[in-house]
């Protein structure tokens, strides 16, 4: 089976390298770009085989990560989207695409790989309605803990 291609858009060079290495080590093919405009060019190219998008929200120049995700969903409805940001978490419920994940920086590289993997493995629901409860990395951590039955691990307060 051919590995999934992930479009990674992150303007901070060191983070871009770290995220790219983590995703590649997990078996993904990574197309890494440092600007939102370049990410949209990749999405719109005829030979693009993007299976998932990981994007920062804020770039030094427009378009931003919100726009990258919207364009990705226009071209590939249901494509998995993971936002990684140090700013913008409060805007996610109103500006993020449905069925996406937001990871707040700093986050562990394993969280990024887990988020991408889980979205790629979920069945695509053909729904017009947005996700009523956007998922956070904490939600995924709790679901992973529940699957692993590690009741000894601390749980965040509700």
């Amino acid at each position: 089976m051919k590995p999934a291609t992930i479009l990674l858009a992150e303007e901070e060079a060191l983070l871009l390298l770290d995220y790219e290495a983590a995703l590649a080590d997990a078996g993904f093919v990574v197309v890494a770009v440092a600007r939102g405009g370049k990410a949209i060019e990749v999405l719109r190219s005829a030979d693009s085989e993007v299976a998932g998008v990981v994007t920062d929200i804020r770039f030094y120049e427009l378009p931003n990560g919100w726009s990258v995700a919207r364009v990705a969903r226009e071209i590939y409805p249901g494509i998995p989207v993971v936002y990684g940001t140090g700013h913008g978490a409060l805007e996610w419920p109103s500006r993020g695409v449905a069925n996406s994940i937001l990871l707040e920086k700093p986050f562990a590289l394993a969280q990024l790989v887990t988020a991408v993997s889980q979205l790629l493995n979920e069945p695509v629901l053909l729904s017009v309605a947005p996700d009523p409860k956007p998922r956070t990395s904490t939600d995924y951590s709790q679901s992973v803990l529940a699957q692993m039955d590690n009741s000894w691990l601390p749980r965040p307060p509700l």
Side-chain angles (χ1 to χ4, degrees):
M1 180 166 60
K2 187 176 178 182
T5 299
I6 304 300
L7 173 60
L8 170 62
E10 170 61 59
E11 74 180 356
E12 293 183 47
L14 294 177
L15 292 178
L16 181 70
L17 292 172
D18 283 346
Y19 299 166
E20 182 179 15
L23 291 166
D25 288 347
F28 297 107
V29 173
V30 182
V31 177
V33 298
R35 295 186 338 264
K38 184 63 179 172
I40 290 173
E41 284 178 31
V42 170
L43 288 165
R44 289 185 172 153
S45 69
D47 60 346
S48 177
E49 293 183 14
V50 176
V53 174
V54 175
T55 185
D56 192 2
I57 292 175
R58 296 192 182 168
F59 295 99
Y60 288 116
E61 56 189 53
L62 292 175
N64 59 27
W66 305 122
S67 297
V68 170
R70 278 193 299 279
V71 169
R73 287 285 177 87
E74 288 170 9
I75 298 168
Y76 305 104
I79 191 171
V81 173
V82 176
Y83 298 102
T85 187
H87 328 273
L90 295 176
E91 299 173 80
W92 180 46
S94 62
R95 299 191 69 189
V97 296
N99 299 317
S100 62
I101 296 174
L102 180 125
L103 299 175
E104 291 188 66
K105 295 176 185 173
F107 52 82
L109 296 176
Q111 285 180 285
L112 175 62
V113 171
T114 299
V116 170
S117 298
Q118 286 187 332
L119 285 177
L120 283 171
N121 291 320
E122 284 185 359
V124 176
L125 301 176
L126 299 177
S127 169
V128 181
D131 190 353
K133 180 180 181 271
R135 294 166 292 179
T136 65
S137 57
T138 302
D139 294 334
Y140 275 105
S141 297
Q142 288 177 343
S143 76
V144 168
L145 288 175
Q147 292 172 12
M148 295 170 59
D149 194 27
N150 287 331
S151 56
W152 55 272
L153 291 174
R155 300 207 184 258
L158 297 176

